[in-house]
Amino acid sequence: DIQMTQSPSSLSASVGDRVTITCRASQDINTYLAWYQQKPGKIPKLLIYAASTLQSGVPSRFSGSGSGTDFTLTISSLQPEDAATYYCQKYNSAPWTFGQGTKVEIK
Amino acid sequence: QVQLVQSGAEVKKPGASVKVSCKASGYAFSNYYMHWVRQAPGQGLEWMGIINPNGGNTDFAQKFQGRITMTRDTSTSTFYLELSRLRSEDTAVYFCARGPVLIVGATGWLDPWGQGTLVTVSS
């Protein structure tokens, strides 16, 4: 099975900072990658699919890039409401594996 | 709008089975795959399996093989997840999440998600 590895596992940044989260697949997954945001006590929310396509309604400060095995999620200017855990997920084939998550805290 | 409404919390003893439901509305039930994902307390998301509502074909994560069943009832637009031989490590919130439209194949992201069902396994 393809493994998905996120880094870092957690980070702390200030409002206005640029934040980058990395997701690495153990094999080529083309651009079959999604990013989700999960706030404490809430359900996961789709942010980005096809590695770089922003889901409708998601603020433009979020962006995704990458293909093959290396992907990034970037928050261009961190806002207080962005405090959450972010997960990548591959969806090219079963199993639809998630990364272990990156917890983003606001300083 | 698309809604996935799950059944309420459950408390089960080790060795028992649990059946969680997910009622879909706001879209053509038979046209979209459905996934199940779980999240243990304080842990990450774990994909469990997928069901094709048109025929009921399923595909499961290997770790659940042999004790997981996914079904659907087209007459009530409801999906079901059943997990047997429960152990304490199965304590988690279980989510249903809609996959892609069947016509494009199973390759697709999960959106939207149900509200989650807490299953607690405790003696």
Side-chain angles (χ1 to χ4, degrees):
Chain A
D1 291 349
I2 296 175
Q3 305 304 311
M4 305 300 292
T5 304
Q6 287 182 233
S7 61
S9 56
S10 66
L11 65 90
S12 182
S14 300
V15 172
D17 282 354
R18 182 181 183 88
V19 168
T20 298
I21 299 168
T22 296
C23 177
R24 176 162 290 175
S26 60
Q27 296 176 38
D28 189 337
I29 59 169
N30 200 328
T31 57
Y32 294 112
L33 186 101
W35 289 97
Y36 302 87
Q37 175 194 63
Q38 187 179 31
K39 297 183 179 180
K42 302 296 186 182
I43 69 174
K45 172 188 172 183
L46 176 69
L47 294 179
I48 287 169
Y49 59 91
S52 61
T53 302
L54 205 63
Q55 172 71 339
S56 175
V58 174
S60 59
R61 63 181 180 274
F62 290 93
S63 64
S65 65
S67 67
T69 60
D70 293 313
F71 303 87
T72 59
L73 172 70
T74 300
I75 309 173
S76 61
S77 178
L78 190 67
Q79 299 302 303
E81 60 267 31
D82 300 335
T85 300
Y86 294 83
Y87 296 92
C88 62
Q89 184 199 28
K90 62 170 280 292
Y91 58 82
N92 58 318
S93 62
W96 273 252
T97 309
F98 291 90
Q100 79 277 18
T102 296
K103 185 174 183 179
V104 174
E105 296 179 327
I106 311 296
K107 281 182 185 174
Chain B
Q1 76 280 22
V2 177
Q3 273 198 303
L4 302 175
V5 178
Q6 298 185 221
S7 49
E10 303 261 13
V11 179
K12 296 293 183 180
K13 293 195 183 304
S17 297
V18 69
K19 192 170 187 177
V20 177
S21 69
C22 170
K23 184 171 177 59
S25 63
Y27 72 96
F29 174 83
S30 294
N31 285 4
Y32 289 79
Y33 290 93
M34 187 63 71
H35 295 259
W36 289 91
V37 175
R38 77 176 185 179
Q39 186 170 39
Q43 302 301 308
L45 301 171
E46 181 176 32
W47 182 79
M48 300 182 71
I50 183 174
I51 182 169
N52 180 337
N54 224 353
N57 291 346
T58 54
D59 197 351
F60 305 131
Q62 189 164 7
K63 71 176 288 185
F64 300 108
Q65 296 278 358
R67 64 186 193 107
I68 189 172
T69 305
M70 291 182 185
T71 56
R72 87 280 184 239
D73 183 340
T74 56
S75 68
T76 60
S77 299
T78 304
F79 293 91
Y80 297 93
L81 167 71
E82 186 167 16
L83 193 62
S84 63
R85 302 195 299 277
L86 290 169
R87 34 205 190 235
S88 58
E89 309 90 87
D90 294 318
T91 294
V93 176
Y94 290 76
F95 297 99
C96 58
R98 195 183 71 168
V101 63
L102 265 61
I103 195 169
V104 303
T107 299
W109 50 91
L110 278 57
D111 182 65
W113 294 56
Q115 86 275 17
T117 296
L118 175 61
V119 175
T120 302
V121 183
S122 174
S123 54

